Amino acid sequence: MSINKKQLATAVLLLMSNIALGFWWNLIPKYPLLAIFALSSGLLWILFVLFAEDRAFFYIISAISILLLGIGIHLDIWSIIGLVFGAILAIWAFSIARKTYHSNIKFLLTAIVGRSVRIYFTAMAVVFSLAYFGVVSNASNVSSLILPEEVFNIGMQILEKPFQAIIPGIHAKDTVDEALAFFVQSQLKQTLGLNVTVPSLSQIRQALPAERKEIIRTLNKEFGTNIDINTKGTEKLSTVLYRISLNKIDEYAKRFSSYVPWILAVGFFFSLKAISFVYYYASIIFSVLFVKILLSIGALKIETAPATKEILI
């Protein structure tokens, strides 16, 4: 079985891209630039199915490309099911592309690979969603999975201005003592009036260690914040607010603890599917440009070949 250089190159590059995506997929929320591997996998899949042939070797490569996503996944029964089902979807995606390639009279890239690449991205989403389900179903702290700290911090940054409108001068990046000092100073100004000199923030912070627990008790009583009275003054306010949010989530999530992993996994799948539309269109655009460049420099060429067709006579 002869395999030309284009076929071998696209197959190897697809496998390498999926190895990288599988290895770093869980770091994408923290380092969004790593999502470039999802885009490269989509682009390389398109080139792979265009250059490949209807041989067992290429069907096997299709399946292996999905199985390699498991390199960075904790293997359990659910992730294994995801990998197997994803590999089957990849073989189906390859078969659809090759049938469309042979049935189309004109070479129309989008028509040939459009459905195939969507199925391939679905295969990826299945793998990562079932791997995610395996993790959340065994997690002891479900609330932190519902609201990851990174997502909470991003939300705090977005809500910084509305937060300032409610409590001006206090920032989520402040420490507990900095926030408490500002709160105490603002309360003193309201109580004593503008004609009375109130202590500076630095003076209040110096006195806080002895009064911190009592101030926190007062805040909990007046605002129902449920802040731990043993909270250290050096802790970030955002960390304290995150713990409060988790406690609130726990109050409701415990009632539906058996359903939460399924809800999270299904939500994760549809989130990936929604995001994959961006990668789908980007992959199509880049592949069209890439093929046009190769055609213009003579690395590829389109020929008209006679086709055999069955007719009734």
Side-chain angles (χ1 to χ4, degrees):
M1 178 177 64
S2 61
I3 301 172
N4 62 40
K5 292 180 180 180
K6 291 193 295 288
Q7 293 170 340
L8 184 61
T10 52
V12 171
L13 289 173
L14 174 64
L15 297 181
M16 290 176 63
S17 178
N18 279 18
I19 288 173
L21 180 60
F23 193 76
W24 285 309
W25 75 278
N26 58 341
L27 293 177
I28 290 176
K30 191 174 182 180
Y31 304 103
L33 283 176
L34 291 176
I36 192 67
F37 290 113
L39 175 59
S40 66
S41 292
L43 172 60
L44 289 166
W45 170 258
I46 291 172
L47 298 177
F48 170 72
V49 297
L50 289 178
F51 296 146
E53 298 177 12
D54 296 313
R55 295 176 179 172
F57 171 78
F58 296 104
Y59 283 93
I60 293 171
I61 292 296
S62 301
I64 292 175
S65 70
I66 290 295
L67 294 175
L68 286 175
L69 295 175
I71 196 168
I73 292 173
H74 172 70
L75 291 179
D76 56 21
I77 184 63
W78 291 106
S79 60
I80 292 172
I81 291 173
L83 288 168
V84 172
F85 187 51
I88 293 171
L89 285 176
I91 293 172
W92 182 39
F94 180 81
S95 175
I96 286 173
R98 294 307 301 172
K99 286 179 181 178
T100 309
Y101 183 83
H102 291 301
S103 62
N104 275 28
I105 296 175
K106 290 184 69 65
F107 179 80
L108 300 172
L109 190 144
T110 305
I112 294 170
V113 301
R115 188 183 176 196
S116 173
V117 74
R118 285 197 299 270
I119 295 172
Y120 193 72
F121 277 127
T122 299
M124 290 184 178
V126 167
V127 171
F128 293 134
S129 297
L130 285 176
Y132 180 66
F133 175 78
V135 173
V136 298
S137 60
N138 295 318
S140 57
N141 188 1
V142 177
S143 57
S144 63
L145 295 170
I146 296 175
L147 182 63
E149 189 168 4
E150 293 84 359
V151 175
F152 179 82
N153 289 334
I154 293 171
M156 289 297 296
Q157 293 174 12
I158 295 172
L159 296 172
E160 182 76 21
K161 288 185 178 179
F163 189 72
Q164 286 292 304
I166 300 171
I167 313 177
I170 295 180
H171 304 271
K173 63 182 180 181
D174 292 341
T175 63
V176 170
D177 275 358
E178 287 171 342
L180 289 177
F182 190 89
F183 175 77
V184 169
Q185 189 186 60
S186 62
Q187 291 297 306
L188 288 174
K189 287 179 180 179
Q190 290 179 12
T191 304
L192 301 177
L194 298 175
N195 296 326
V196 179
T197 303
V198 299
S200 65
L201 290 175
S202 60
Q203 290 173 327
I204 295 172
R205 280 199 296 268
Q206 289 176 3
L208 272 177
E211 302 294 335
R212 187 185 302 115
K213 290 184 179 181
E214 189 58 38
I215 295 172
I216 292 175
R217 284 193 185 97
T218 302
L219 286 172
N220 288 339
K221 184 178 179 180
E222 292 186 6
F223 300 101
T225 50
N226 197 27
I227 303 172
D228 184 1
I229 61 171
N230 295 314
T231 299
K232 295 179 180 179
T234 54
E235 281 194 81
K236 294 286 186 183
L237 180 61
S238 59
T239 303
V240 175
L241 293 175
Y242 179 64
R243 283 205 300 267
I244 294 172
S245 301
L246 293 187
N247 291 335
K248 287 293 182 181
I249 292 172
D250 277 335
E251 292 178 11
Y252 298 98
K254 285 179 180 178
R255 305 175 193 174
F256 311 100
S257 57
S258 59
Y259 302 104
V260 168
W262 287 104
I263 294 170
L264 290 175
V266 171
F268 188 62
F269 172 78
F270 284 109
S271 297
L272 292 179
K273 281 292 292 176
I275 294 170
S276 72
F277 279 108
V278 177
Y279 295 120
Y280 164 75
Y281 287 109
S283 299
I284 293 291
I285 291 170
F286 282 119
S287 61
V288 169
L289 292 174
F290 187 70
V291 169
K292 284 186 175 181
I293 291 171
L294 292 180
L295 288 170
S296 65
I297 64 176
L300 291 177
K301 60 181 179 177
I302 296 176
E303 294 182 346
T304 300
T308 303
K309 184 178 179 181
E310 292 183 350
I311 59 172
L312 290 175
I313 57 173

